[in-house]
Amino acid sequence: MAFKVEIDSFGNFRDNENRVITLRGINLAADSKLPASPPTPSHVSENFFDGDNVSFVGRPFSLNEADVHLARIKSWGFNVIRYIYTWEALEHAGPGKYDDEFIQSTIAFLRKIKDCGFYVFMDPHQDVWSRFSGGSGAPMWTLYAAGLDPKAFAQTEAAVVQNTWPDPATFPRMTWATNYDRLACLTIFTMFWAGKDFAPKCIIDGQNIQDYLQCHFIDAIKYFAQQVYEDDDLGDDFILGWESINEPFRGFLGNRNLTVYPEYQKLQKYTSPTPFQAILLGAGRAVDVAVYDFGLLGAYKVGTQVVNADGYSAWLPKDYDDSRYGWKRNPEWKLGECVWAQHGVWDPETDSVLRPDYFLDAPDGTRLDGESWAETYFIDHWNKFADTIRSVRPETMLFCQTPVMAVPPNFVELGALRSRMVFTPHFYDGLTLIRKHWSRFWNVDVIGVLRGKYWSPVFALRFGETSIRNCLRDQLKTLKYEGLESFGIGVPCLMSEIGIPYDMNEKKAYVDGDYTAQIRALDANIFALEGAKLHHTYWVYASCNSHKWGDHWNGEDLSLWSPSDVKHRISGSQYSYSLSPSDSSLMAGKRYSFSDESQITDTVGSRAIEAFSRPFPLVTVGVPQEYGFDINNAVFTMELYADEEGASKLVPSEIHVPDFHYPNGDLQVEVSSGRWELDRPNQILRWWHDGGKQTIKIIGIRGGQTMKPEKNSYGEFCAVCS
């Protein structure tokens, strides 16, 4: 790949032969959220608060294991990796103290990835700000800089953190995401985006906390990028570009009334304080807080619970020694007191709110309700980030991630559009993710609800698997088309996160080996991706995954591969992969056995591989108009349109054809023109064709006979083969 990937005027990625590239890959890796030394998964409390003295060297996994993991991922047909790193990994020891050992180890790892033939784009990952507020991303010192005391978060529920939960094994699932609506996240994200306007007293080292945090974040990435490009062997032919901050969150911005739940708060699970209750809890008040659970139609209240009965404060005490990190805080910023009381939001003498709409309007009168906060504060940050990256690498692509599931700001009208830009939204089937259950019978049009399409959520219900699959597809199309309206037709859309939980139904599959629900759920999501013609990177690969602790982060279990599945499928000296024994309509009873351990790269340990290891167009002479894979019958179809000049070149379209679905090259190909050949070692079908509208169908065969779906399903065929 000794060439720079281009983006044409219609938003297609192009290779050096002017073929259209379809990017399909994976996030690497969930492990990268967590330190390697000392190893601190989110269910371990030991050394948790020694956050300055950690190392991420060895993430996402050790360099000497890289060849095996990368070969496995490559065998699935993926061609792009969203490479996860965190601000904490770069600058954990303190402001301006960069971890050069981690950076050099990452550079060595990137070279390994390049050698395997992947494209890469770089993701500065965060979830609910930091590990110390229940997620990942920012260094611990940033919370101290904001005046917060992470050691008091457990008592005040300023953040609910699995590492400090009394019994981590009982940590309520998906509760980590509720931290966005608790004091720590609400406060520090507000400071990060808009501290100058809403926390003007918060001056540290002569800078407002907004500039202090943003500058350190961007400067750390700049330093990292400079080191990555220093030797110039990791160029634009490999590193496609750099993504903006993962899943940006608004904090308090745009809140109409601090005493009630904001209309944009969609997830309520476990205790659910209103914003003002969160402020009171952080200030040492005991509060009776509503408790919620998540059911068939969303969140519902199940009771109340008194929080912070012992009166802890989430703010640093007045005698805290700021010399620990060497900064100097402005005397007007008083430690030991709630920063929002200091700014007149509420009265600590009467515990009454004085300005319930304090965060609704910017000082210039701009109303911040809805997603308009992103049109101001997010765009300002985006421009700084984009300028910084381009100062290091002028021609690199800029991957832009706007607030999750929200309509993006209009980058054209706001003057924020850049050349070689890519829109990278996220999507998860929320009901399946939160409930950890795939229902073939009903689901909800979540995007439609968020866009006000229905006057009641009842009308957003979809019944039956076909309707559900179409609904998922239509939601992804909506996100893509909103991107077109916001960025213009020349900006590609790449879904940089989408995935399913594998620990469905109380981990039933880990007991009986039946992954039918997971296969159905993932196939429905990929059907949606194909229907929307979206580039994508699945969430996630986690080499540390286990059946007990999942991805070792907050109980999530979304990894496409697990060492536990390898162990559970080893019998004697042979490796045996058994699939869905009870469901003949989805690859029932398919079994592969290998006597040589070197042959297990792509299958054993892979979960729902039936769904994700599927044919797709790698590069095409012409633009794909539609394509998809029928998992029940092992049939791939594609229609493309090629101009005559492009088709006249002696270069083929290339399609990944996985051995998993077409073992021994057993397939039949129907093409509208031209010739084809199968490169089995690389699992690639090359097709030379004419210009104009062209079609191809790749059909699985059995014993020299084409499969007849109406008589012999692919599942029945697999059962016979087992």
Side-chain angles (χ1 to χ4, degrees):
M1 296 187 297
F3 56 88
K4 182 177 70 176
V5 174
E6 300 290 352
I7 299 175
D8 69 21
S9 59
F10 296 99
N12 299 304
F13 295 106
R14 297 274 183 173
D15 71 5
N16 63 332
E17 300 284 358
N18 202 36
R19 294 180 295 184
V20 173
I21 303 168
T22 300
L23 294 175
R24 182 171 180 264
I26 197 165
N27 281 259
L28 188 69
D31 319 55
S32 298
K33 297 181 180 186
L34 306 164
S37 178
T40 315
S42 67
H43 56 270
V44 171
S45 61
E46 186 179 1
N47 301 313
F48 177 60
F49 287 112
D50 192 14
D52 303 341
N53 301 304
V54 296
S55 172
F56 286 72
V57 174
R59 295 298 187 207
F61 31 76
S62 67
L63 199 61
N64 60 11
E65 297 175 351
D67 290 339
V68 173
H69 290 292
L70 293 174
R72 177 179 297 116
I73 294 169
K74 190 67 176 178
S75 73
W76 295 337
F78 297 162
N79 60 0
V80 67
I81 283 173
R82 183 183 188 228
Y83 192 87
I84 296 168
Y85 67 97
T86 63
W87 181 8
E88 181 187 10
L90 299 173
E91 200 177 4
H92 52 80
K97 297 179 180 179
Y98 301 131
D99 190 334
D100 288 309
E101 185 182 2
F102 168 74
I103 291 172
Q104 292 306 313
S105 71
T106 301
I107 291 171
F109 201 93
L110 288 171
R111 289 189 174 117
K112 285 273 191 182
I113 295 174
K114 180 181 180 181
D115 289 343
C116 288
F118 292 101
Y119 298 112
V120 161
F121 63 101
M122 308 296 289
D123 161 40
H125 207 81
Q126 76 81 32
D127 307 275
V128 294
W129 186 259
S130 170
R131 287 193 300 125
F132 304 95
S133 48
S136 67
M140 183 178 68
W141 58 260
T142 61
L143 293 163
Y144 286 102
L148 291 160
D149 182 2
K151 293 183 179 179
F153 287 175
Q155 295 86 353
T156 60
E157 292 195 357
V160 180
V161 183
Q162 188 183 22
N163 298 82
T164 59
W165 194 260
D167 179 7
T170 65
F171 188 68
R173 62 191 183 193
M174 286 304 296
T175 298
W176 71 266
T178 69
N179 285 317
Y180 278 118
D181 299 299
R182 300 178 190 271
L183 180 67
C185 271
L186 289 169
T187 294
I188 202 160
F189 272 108
T190 302
M191 290 178 167
F192 182 81
W193 303 117
K196 288 188 287 190
D197 287 344
F198 294 98
K201 295 181 179 181
C202 296
I203 306 296
I204 186 168
D205 281 351
Q207 291 181 294
N208 182 270
I209 188 65
Q210 172 185 333
D211 292 331
Y212 189 81
L213 292 172
Q214 284 202 34
C215 287
H216 275 286
F217 173 70
I218 291 174
D219 286 350
I221 296 174
K222 179 180 181 179
Y223 182 82
F224 181 33
Q226 288 171 329
Q227 303 308 304
V228 166
Y229 290 124
E230 189 172 57
D231 293 335
D232 209 35
D233 62 320
L234 301 176
D236 299 330
D237 60 318
F238 164 59
I239 299 178
L240 297 179
W242 298 72
E243 193 172 19
S244 57
I245 187 169
N246 185 68
E247 298 187 351
F249 174 66
R250 68 197 305 148
F252 284 116
L253 298 178
N255 192 298
R256 290 178 175 273
N257 184 344
L258 294 171
T259 65
V260 299
Y261 297 119
E263 64 275 10
Y264 49 77
Q265 182 178 340
K266 303 303 178 185
L267 177 62
Q268 291 178 284
K269 206 167 185 295
Y270 184 57
T271 55
S272 184
T274 66
F276 185 53
Q277 286 178 325
I279 289 173
L280 290 173
L281 287 168
R285 309 309 196 261
V287 178
D288 195 26
V289 177
V291 178
Y292 280 77
D293 204 350
F294 200 88
L296 299 181
L297 292 176
Y300 62 96
K301 185 177 177 181
V302 295
T304 62
Q305 179 177 314
V306 175
V307 178
N308 200 15
D310 294 328
Y312 283 83
S313 173
W315 300 99
L316 289 173
K318 66 176 68 175
D319 59 353
Y320 175 76
D321 184 6
D322 267 338
S323 67
R324 172 178 178 180
Y325 294 109
W327 55 55
K328 186 174 181 180
R329 205 179 299 264
N330 191 307
E332 194 177 6
W333 184 359
K334 299 175 183 178
L335 294 183
E337 299 180 18
C338 171
V339 73
W340 304 120
Q342 294 179 57
H343 285 88
V345 178
W346 68 289
D347 182 357
E349 295 295 325
T350 61
D351 288 354
S352 59
V353 64
L354 302 176
R355 299 184 62 185
D357 60 352
Y358 178 75
F359 300 100
L360 179 58
D361 296 325
D364 66 1
T366 300
R367 177 118 321 171
L368 303 176
D369 60 348
E371 298 306 325
S372 60
W373 75 274
E375 297 174 356
T376 52
Y377 298 106
F378 173 78
I379 288 293
D380 288 346
H381 170 75
W382 159 258
N383 286 329
K384 294 172 189 173
F385 171 82
D387 289 344
T388 299
I389 293 298
R390 285 283 169 82
S391 73
V392 178
R393 197 75 177 184
E395 292 300 316
T396 194
M397 293 182 192
L398 296 170
F399 290 71
C400 182
Q401 188 177 154
T402 57
V404 178
M405 306 286 267
V407 178
N410 192 308
F411 279 68
V412 177
E413 293 181 359
L414 295 168
L417 190 67
R418 307 301 176 97
S419 63
R420 293 175 58 77
M421 193 171 169
V422 182
F423 174 42
T424 54
H426 290 177
F427 179 85
Y428 290 93
D429 171 8
L431 287 178
T432 301
L433 184 67
I434 295 170
R435 298 175 63 238
K436 298 200 175 190
H437 171 75
W438 166 252
S439 172
R440 299 171 56 189
F441 306 107
W442 69 274
N443 207 304
V444 175
D445 177 9
V446 174
I447 294 296
V449 172
L450 293 176
R451 301 298 184 266
K453 184 177 178 181
Y454 310 100
W455 69 267
S456 169
V458 172
F459 294 97
L461 288 169
R462 296 293 182 270
F463 299 99
E465 193 159 16
T466 298
S467 178
I468 291 167
R469 288 161 65 91
N470 290 339
C471 178
L472 292 172
R473 178 201 60 203
D474 292 345
Q475 290 179 80
L476 297 194
K477 283 185 175 181
T478 296
L479 295 176
K480 180 180 179 180
Y481 294 150
E482 288 174 349
L484 288 174
E485 293 179 356
S486 297
F487 296 94
I489 196 171
V491 175
C493 183
L494 185 154
M495 189 67 62
S496 61
E497 284 190 27
I498 188 168
I500 63 158
Y502 284 90
D503 55 341
M504 293 182 186
N505 305 322
E506 306 300 328
K507 303 186 178 183
K508 176 179 176 291
Y510 302 163
V511 177
D512 62 14
D514 184 351
Y515 278 74
T516 300
Q518 290 84 344
I519 295 166
R520 286 189 178 278
L522 189 55
D523 181 59
N525 277 263
I526 302 174
F527 167 83
L529 289 163
E530 292 170 343
K533 298 195 295 291
L534 280 168
H535 308 277
H536 54 277
T537 48
Y538 299 114
W539 187 267
V540 65
Y541 191 93
S543 67
C544 65
N545 182 280
S546 67
H547 285 176
K548 181 176 182 180
W549 295 111
D551 301 333
H552 286 210
W553 186 83
N554 282 321
E556 284 202 345
D557 193 349
L558 284 81
S559 179
L560 272 63
W561 180 84
S562 175
S564 291
D565 284 78
V566 173
K567 294 174 183 177
H568 279 243
R569 289 167 179 160
I570 292 178
S571 175
S573 60
Q574 288 196 334
Y575 291 75
S576 180
Y577 188 129
S578 182
L579 311 173
S580 311
S582 64
D583 191 338
S584 63
S585 68
L586 267 176
M587 319 264 310
K590 186 166 187 174
R591 181 177 297 276
Y592 289 92
S593 295
F594 305 95
S595 58
D596 181 354
E597 188 171 342
S598 66
Q599 293 177 278
I600 69 167
T601 301
D602 63 338
T603 53
V604 173
S606 306
R607 309 193 294 181
I609 189 173
E610 302 89 329
F612 71 76
S613 182
R614 61 207 284 140
F616 80 99
L618 291 161
V619 289
T620 52
V621 179
V623 179
Q625 303 300 300
E626 59 182 33
Y627 64 89
F629 179 61
D630 175 358
I631 191 174
N632 287 321
N633 300 301
V635 175
F636 171 79
T637 56
M638 178 174 68
E639 176 185 314
L640 59 80
Y641 185 85
D643 61 68
E644 298 296 336
E645 181 181 354
S648 67
K649 296 181 179 179
L650 299 178
V651 293
S653 294
E654 298 184 359
I655 302 167
H656 171 67
V657 180
D659 281 345
F660 186 89
H661 287 290
Y662 304 97
N664 305 314
D666 292 337
L667 50 79
Q668 177 178 304
V669 180
E670 299 174 2
V671 296
S672 55
S673 70
R675 62 185 179 87
W676 61 272
E677 67 178 28
L678 182 63
D679 177 356
R680 280 206 61 220
N682 293 304
Q683 302 182 90
I684 293 174
L685 185 145
R686 295 185 177 90
W687 173 32
W688 290 263
H689 54 77
D690 297 337
K693 176 183 174 181
Q694 301 295 329
T695 59
I696 185 170
K697 178 184 286 189
I698 304 172
I699 311 163
I701 62 175
R702 172 182 65 180
Q705 297 181 351
T706 304
M707 292 170 51
K708 304 293 184 183
E710 69 276 10
K711 294 182 179 180
N712 303 293
S713 77
Y714 186 29
E716 291 170 340
F717 163 58
C718 295
V720 170
C721 290
S722 68

